[in-house]
Amino acid sequence: MKFSQMKYERLEFETAKQQLEEFLANFKNAKSADDCFAAYKEIDEYSKQIFSVFSLANIRNTLDTTDNFYAEEKKYSDEVSPKLRAIQQEITIVLLSSPFRKDMEAKWGTLMFDNAEIQLKTFKPEIVEDLQEENRLTTEYQNLTSSAQIEFDGKTLTLAELVPYYENPDRNVRKAAMTAASDWGMARAEEFDKIFDNLLAVRTKIGKKLGHENFTQVGYYRMQRNCYDQEMVAKFREGVVKYIVPVAKRLKEEQAKRIGVDGLKVYDDAFQYEDGNAKPIGTPDEIFAHGKKMYHELSPETGEFIDFMLDNELFDVLTRPGKAPGGYCSNIPIYKSPFIFANFNGTSHDIDVLTHEAGHAFAGYMAKDIYPSALQRYSAETAEIHSMAMEFFAWPWMEGFFGDQTQKYYDYHLASALTFIPYGTMVDEFQHHLYAKPEMKAAERDALWRELEAKYRPWLDLEGVPLYEAGRRWQLQLHIYKYPFYYIDYCLAQIMALSFWAENQENHKAAWAKYKRLVELAGTKTFVGLIEDAGLPTPFVADNLKIVSDAAVKWLDGNK
């Protein structure tokens, strides 16, 4: 079904509650394994309906945050979803204690039960009001960033529409554009602080009600981290500082020489080449036409996938006033449909929508028929392998997007993959500090961000742009507000994507076969289990970070 034809109808709480309780009674009272399987299927199908209603409300709200109808529907779903968690928890308890559990494990494997044990640790009925408040605050944050109307270059622009100016060959234009965004953010600094103060307080309260000293472990449970812990992440961060930061520093120093500046100011960071960054050629329609050709040539499965997405209006990529910033891939399970939301801005980011976000969507499309649906759901770092690796598998078709700038794109893409990892790791360490010391004042948070900038991005001069000087850049990082502890996932996945890239340089057929298998396995294995299945090096061994980064640098050196 086309997205425009997908019917939205509010799911009234009492109706959903009554239906789930009826299915739960059938599940609890099952007299045989067959009865158990039939009752669970009822629950699974209805749960997909609930998720789809909430997903449609969220998507349509982000498409136009000024639409009062969907703003109210998003508000309603934010209030209702925590209350439904209480019933879902009862279902989980019955699932785990069922006399037919071994029958279900024999048919479906044990991982969904392990994940259910983790899920139980994220909820108690006592936190329903806290979850509602958390939802309200994250929506308030999203609405605040979406409301940006910044006067620049004779136009009224959103934050997303300012981004292309950060790549302008004129250094004064770059600085002015970033300063305009900075001024907007600084004028609302107290609003950002207040929202985060309240988020930190409510999440700490949630952590304590769930039996923890703070929120951190709850954040890990929410992210379904079932095969690594905080200590392993800390060791990964150490490996990044030891092996990746020096390589990134060298690449950034080369960038500074290339664009003719003595040192990289923050407004130089996105500007890669003196004659301008690689930019896509053609209109959005032409870009999508080549994207369709690319996926048809890559594999039969990707060809079928891109036709499905385009035929059913499952992309919304053009920037407009009122549209939320950023990009994401969501899912509408009752229609077995992924949905890609983005903001085209005339930079190489536009092509990333057709590679990165489409990588997410392809994985969702390939998993759509797996049952139970719990096995369709992979963890976040696995999801980011899907997207980041697809960026590299798309390389042979980049000439159709960039023409004579293709080599420039390759160099930028590979270098930016390496230089992103320190930033992403910095975001992770920042969050660990925040939740370990929730009494931290706003000024202390900003000072900590500045300190971590010096540790992870020592090449970057923050002076000259007030938001950066003040250590407030983190306030424009959506994940810190909306998805706590969701960021190291990008870094772990980037290492794995680079591993796929390295193998693809040597043997495309073997690399694609491994990637396709990883996608097809969806959530039937853990993140580490999928890596082991693919025969790739785990990112939790520090030396593996060096191996991957050395391979990338060798390629970059060989293509100068």
Side-chain angles (χ1 to χ4, degrees), residues 437-473:
K437 192 180 176 184
E439 68 277 10
M440 201 180 292
K441 302 297 183 186
E444 293 177 276
R445 292 195 294 258
D446 299 341
L448 171 63
W449 182 262
R450 283 289 302 249
E451 180 185 324
L452 293 175
E453 284 273 20
K455 176 180 178 179
Y456 286 99
R457 302 202 294 179
W459 57 83
L460 204 57
D461 183 349
L462 306 177
E463 303 307 314
V465 181
L467 190 80
Y468 287 81
E469 285 184 25
R472 289 182 173 273
R473 165 62 182 84

Side-chain angles (χ1 to χ4, degrees), residues 46-265:
Y46 193 68
S47 296
K48 288 194 290 188
Q49 289 184 47
I50 293 172
F51 184 91
S52 297
V53 170
F54 291 162
S55 180
L56 280 169
N58 181 66
I59 292 169
R60 288 179 174 156
N61 174 239
T62 56
L63 291 176
D64 183 3
T65 59
T66 67
D67 183 320
N68 290 331
F69 175 80
Y70 282 109
E72 285 300 312
E73 294 308 294
K74 178 64 168 63
K75 181 180 177 181
Y76 182 75
S77 68
D78 285 349
E79 293 170 354
V80 167
S81 55
K83 293 195 284 187
L84 288 174
R85 285 283 303 277
I87 307 167
Q88 290 164 338
Q89 186 188 43
E90 290 183 54
I91 293 169
T92 301
I93 291 169
V94 173
L95 173 75
L96 294 172
S97 60
S98 171
F100 306 106
R101 176 170 171 171
K102 291 205 176 295
D103 298 274
M104 290 186 283
E105 287 181 339
K107 191 169 185 177
W108 298 331
T110 61
L111 182 58
M112 67 176 278
F113 295 88
D114 295 338
N115 289 337
E117 297 276 9
I118 292 173
Q119 181 190 333
L120 270 187
K121 298 174 182 178
T122 67
F123 182 81
K124 285 182 180 178
E126 296 91 316
I127 68 170
V128 166
E129 290 185 3
D130 301 315
L131 293 174
Q132 289 173 328
E133 174 66 2
E134 184 183 14
N135 284 343
R136 185 192 68 77
L137 289 165
T138 57
T139 299
E140 183 181 348
Y141 171 80
Q142 181 172 283
N143 290 341
L144 177 58
T145 56
S146 302
S147 71
Q149 294 284 283
I150 301 167
E151 298 301 320
F152 188 79
D153 193 24
K155 306 168 189 171
T156 302
L157 304 174
T158 64
L159 288 169
E161 289 170 326
L162 270 174
V163 171
Y165 291 96
Y166 301 166
E167 298 184 5
N168 193 288
D170 187 330
R171 199 181 199 194
N172 291 325
V173 171
R174 298 198 298 273
K175 182 178 181 181
M178 191 164 281
T179 301
S182 165
D183 290 346
W184 180 88
M186 290 298 288
R188 290 153 185 80
E190 289 186 11
E191 291 179 70
F192 283 116
D193 282 336
K194 183 180 178 182
I195 293 171
F196 195 76
D197 282 339
N198 292 334
L199 276 171
L200 201 55
V202 76
R203 285 173 180 155
T204 300
K205 191 189 301 184
I206 288 169
K208 289 183 176 179
K209 285 184 179 180
L210 293 174
H212 303 281
E213 184 180 352
N214 55 47
F215 176 77
T216 304
Q217 188 57 54
V218 178
Y220 270 58
Y221 288 150
R222 283 187 181 182
M223 295 303 300
Q224 195 185 297
R225 292 186 176 151
N226 51 21
C227 58
Y228 64 92
D229 55 22
Q230 294 178 51
E231 185 178 338
M232 293 169 74
V233 171
K235 288 188 183 301
F236 176 80
R237 292 197 302 262
E238 290 172 7
V240 168
V241 172
K242 183 176 181 181
Y243 294 117
I244 305 293
V245 169
V247 170
K249 186 172 184 289
R250 178 202 139 178
L251 292 172
K252 285 297 184 178
E253 287 169 349
E254 290 175 357
Q255 177 185 336
K257 290 179 184 175
R258 196 165 59 238
I259 65 174
V261 297
D262 292 333
L264 276 186
K265 292 283 191 181

Side-chain angles (χ1 to χ4, degrees), residues 337-476:
S337 295
F339 183 88
I340 291 176
F341 171 99
N343 284 275
F344 269 21
N345 59 21
T347 71
S348 61
H349 157 83
D350 297 353
I351 308 308
D352 296 339
V353 172
L354 270 174
T355 56
H356 181 101
E357 297 301 344
H360 285 309
F362 176 62
Y365 179 80
M366 293 293 283
K368 68 184 185 302
D369 294 319
I370 292 176
Y371 179 81
S373 57
L375 297 179
Q376 295 178 18
R377 296 192 289 271
Y378 28 77
S379 56
E381 64 287 297
T382 298
E384 298 306 337
I385 299 177
H386 300 154
S387 57
M388 291 176 167
M390 184 64 87
E391 294 177 28
F392 289 113
F393 280 114
W395 267 27
W397 291 270
M398 287 301 107
E399 188 171 354
F401 293 121
F402 292 101
D404 60 6
Q405 303 175 80
T406 302
Q407 186 60 47
K408 191 189 288 187
Y409 170 79
Y410 290 151
D411 294 345
Y412 163 72
H413 185 206
L414 196 54
S416 64
L418 289 168
T419 57
F420 165 78
I421 294 171
Y423 173 76
T425 309
M426 173 175 70
V427 170
D428 181 71
E429 182 170 344
F430 182 64
Q431 294 189 88
H432 275 83
H433 285 297
L434 296 184
Y435 290 102
K437 192 180 176 184
E439 68 277 10
M440 201 180 292
K441 302 297 183 186
E444 293 177 276
R445 292 195 294 258
D446 299 341
L448 171 63
W449 182 262
R450 283 289 302 249
E451 180 185 324
L452 293 175
E453 284 273 20
K455 176 180 178 179
Y456 286 99
R457 302 202 294 179
W459 57 83
L460 204 57
D461 183 349
L462 306 177
E463 303 307 314
V465 181
L467 190 80
Y468 287 81
E469 285 184 25
R472 289 182 173 273
R473 165 62 182 84
W474 65 274
Q475 294 183 323
L476 298 183

